[in-house]
Amino acid sequence: MSRTCLAVILAAGDSTRMKSSMSKVLHPVAGRPMIAHVMQAVVGAGMGDAALVLGRDAEKVEKAAQIGGINTSSFLQTERLGTGHAVLAAREAIAKGYDDVVVAYGDVPLITPAPFAAAREKLAEGADIVVIGFHTDKPTGYGRLLVENGELIAIREEKDATEQERKVTWCNSGLMAINGAKALELLGKIENKNAKGEYYLTDLVEIARATGGKVVAVDAPESELTGCNNRAELAYIEKLWQERRRHEIMVSGVTMIAPETVFLSFDTQIGQDALIEPNVVFGPGVTVEGGAVIHAFSHLEGAHVSAGATVGPYARLRPGANLGAGSKVGNFCEVKKAEIGEGAKVNHLTYIGDAFIGAHTNIGAGTITCNYDGVNKHETRIGADAFIGSNSSLVAPVTIGDGAYVASGSVITDDVPAEALAFGRARQEVKPDRAKLIRERALALKKARSGK
């Protein structure tokens, strides 16, 4: 769409019902602040500029809204005098002259670009005001959209509605699009002659019609327009987001055995023919390529899993974990900031951090890379086709060459050349009958202490 558009994002609420130490719109959904989800939908609908109307935690909210792809300006709303007053806090931005002005809310994170695009299309066709509504089988408490001959004639609040009007199931979401050429003129006519003394954006319907303007409504799914006022509603919104994204991913060719137990992040990417077992959590920044398997009870964040690799069960991939094609990170393993080469195996009960593991190397059970000296982190480098025996401690910085072999139970503090065998453990000694002597001494001590 070639028309210019300004999105006015209302995010100045005090979040009283949220009972939170931070602004409501900063609370995350799928690992991303609510307002960032709204901004993503705005960008997707082709809007090039946004005016943020801010209040509490203004600087933090402004930062959270910076997602790229859109120019933003911020305006502080110092008084709370209704939605119409809030929009006019961005008067300076509106006055720059846009074809379209779209009003959105920072606490409606499930919104997609489609309703915004539909509203803008109606503006392009000549409407002055476009209200975004939704159909629901539970309309109680919502303002009803009253339509005649294709035009919206009123938004009737429930307390003012007749019995017949209350049967209407098309309801007002609060989101609206305004003819940019008339926006300031129309907004300036909103009055506060009501019980609360506030300026209501919904009055634009009557104001525009009174001046001969055209007012229409467009429909959007109820779930996309779900707002958030408290922690229970936040959990419900998270549930809806997860259901929607899981469905999209499964339709794209990913298998989830128990999708309701898998939790995705806003940027999770999973390739075709990947398999996700139950009870897997994806934090931000995860890519899983096609054919990979994520076994049950694994947690991934900031990680890349290449094609055909397997993870878990009960594995943790932390930021910087990069698994090569066909590699394996097994049960009760943790990988952080490490490259796991093609076909390499980190089978079980192992910690790999700040490391490079070459192709087809085998890391035995219980191996740890000792990467932290109390002040700094150090790197462990292991070449291709090496074998690290079980219960080995690799004290970084250390390098183990291609094809090298580290004996089980070793503590490795020096570099191991390629194809070499390294032992880093004390020689075993056996003391005949010593176990019996130790046990007898322990029993004698116990009796002495008990006085028996």
Side-chain angles (χ1 to χ4, degrees):
M1 186 178 292
S2 61
R3 295 167 61 89
T4 60
C5 184
L6 173 71
V8 179
I9 313 296
L10 305 186
D14 289 326
S15 311
T16 304
R17 284 177 286 176
M18 204 74 175
K19 301 189 186 309
S20 175
S21 60
M22 65 181 181
S23 170
K24 173 172 58 177
V25 300
L26 292 175
H27 282 263
V29 172
R32 192 182 205 186
M34 279 193 270
I35 194 167
H37 286 276
V38 176
M39 295 299 293
Q40 193 66 57
V42 163
V43 171
M47 304 183 213
D49 298 282
L52 307 173
V53 179
L54 307 175
R56 183 182 182 187
D57 294 328
E59 291 185 3
K60 293 179 180 178
V61 174
E62 183 178 33
K63 183 178 180 181
Q66 306 300 319
I67 67 166
I70 190 168
N71 302 311
T72 61
S73 54
S74 298
F75 302 89
L76 199 62
Q77 185 187 13
T78 55
E79 295 181 278
R80 308 289 186 268
L81 299 177
T83 50
H85 177 264
V87 173
L88 277 175
R91 180 190 298 271
E92 181 182 332
I94 298 171
K96 291 181 179 178
Y98 292 87
D99 296 317
D100 307 335
V101 174
V102 172
V103 179
Y105 294 84
D107 62 351
V108 186
L110 297 176
I111 190 72
T112 67
F116 292 141
R120 294 190 63 198
E121 185 176 341
K122 291 297 183 183
L123 290 180
E125 293 172 357
D128 289 315
I129 301 292
V130 183
V131 173
I132 298 176
F134 63 96
H135 283 88
T136 177
D137 57 359
K138 297 179 180 179
T140 303
Y142 294 108
R144 309 303 204 277
L145 302 185
L146 306 182
V147 177
E148 288 184 4
N149 300 320
E151 291 198 23
L152 181 65
I153 61 170
I155 300 176
R156 189 80 76 232
E157 297 303 324
E158 182 162 301
K159 59 181 173 37
D160 300 321
T162 66
E163 184 176 346
Q164 189 64 29
E165 288 171 342
R166 288 177 183 174
K167 295 179 180 179
V168 174
T169 59
W170 201 10
C171 298
N172 177 36
S173 72
L175 280 69
M176 185 179 292
I178 309 169
N179 178 343
K182 297 181 179 180
L184 285 180
E185 176 190 351
L186 295 173
L187 288 164
K189 292 181 179 180
I190 298 176
E191 297 180 344
N192 64 341
K193 295 178 181 179
N194 51 67
K196 290 187 175 182
E198 294 185 350
Y199 299 86
Y200 296 134
L201 194 63
T202 51
D203 288 351
L204 287 182
V205 172
E206 181 181 342
I207 292 169
R209 286 182 58 82
T211 57
K214 183 178 181 181
V215 182
V216 298
V218 295
D219 195 38
E222 181 180 2
S223 61
E224 289 192 23
L225 304 173
T226 304
C228 182
N229 292 302
N230 55 52
R231 308 299 179 111
E233 291 175 354
L234 179 64
Y236 179 64
I237 286 171
E238 181 76 35
K239 174 179 178 289
L240 294 178
W241 190 95
Q242 293 291 339
E243 289 174 349
R244 183 168 75 187
R245 185 65 183 132
R246 290 176 197 134
H247 178 77
E248 292 170 352
I249 288 177
M250 288 188 288
V251 169
S252 75
V254 174
T255 296
M256 294 185 186
I257 296 174
E260 69 279 4
T261 69
V262 175
F263 290 87
L264 306 160
S265 192
F266 71 97
D267 58 353
T268 304
Q269 298 295 320
I270 306 178
Q272 182 177 320
D273 292 322
L275 168 63
I276 312 299
E277 290 188 353
N279 298 296
V280 173
V281 176
F282 293 93
V286 176
T287 297
V288 177
E289 294 187 11
V293 177
I294 311 299
H295 290 294
F297 295 97
S298 294
H299 187 286
L300 296 79
E301 180 178 359
H304 187 107
V305 180
S306 296
T310 61
V311 176
Y314 294 96
R316 184 184 182 196
L317 301 187
R318 291 170 57 192
N322 190 352
L323 278 57
S327 63
K328 178 180 180 181
V329 171
N331 52 295
F332 300 101
C333 290
E334 181 175 340
V335 178
K336 188 270 298 186
K337 197 179 179 181
E339 298 276 340
I340 309 299
E342 180 179 352
K345 296 179 179 179
V346 182
N347 280 314
H348 29 228
L349 302 163
T350 292
Y351 171 70
I352 302 295
D354 297 281
F356 174 88
I357 311 296
H360 305 292
T361 283
N362 185 87
I363 308 295
T367 295
I368 58 173
T369 55
C370 307
N371 56 329
Y372 184 49
D373 63 9
V375 178
N376 298 306
K377 299 290 181 68
H378 302 280
E379 186 180 50
T380 298
R381 296 191 65 85
I382 304 174
D385 298 303
F387 184 93
I388 310 300
S390 298
N391 200 36
S392 293
S393 296
L394 311 178
V395 183
V398 69
T399 298
I400 299 170
D402 293 346
Y405 195 113
V406 172
S408 297
S410 293
V411 177
I412 301 299
T413 58
D414 296 321
D415 291 350
V416 180
E419 302 296 341
L421 168 62
F423 287 85
R425 64 191 186 203
R427 182 174 296 278
Q428 179 178 323
E429 293 187 29
V430 177
K431 305 292 185 179
D433 298 321
R434 186 64 61 86
K436 180 181 179 182
L437 177 60
I438 291 171
R439 190 160 46 248
E440 289 173 347
R441 287 178 177 175
L443 288 171
L445 180 60
K446 182 178 181 181
K447 288 180 179 180
R449 287 176 174 174
S450 65
K452 295 181 179 179

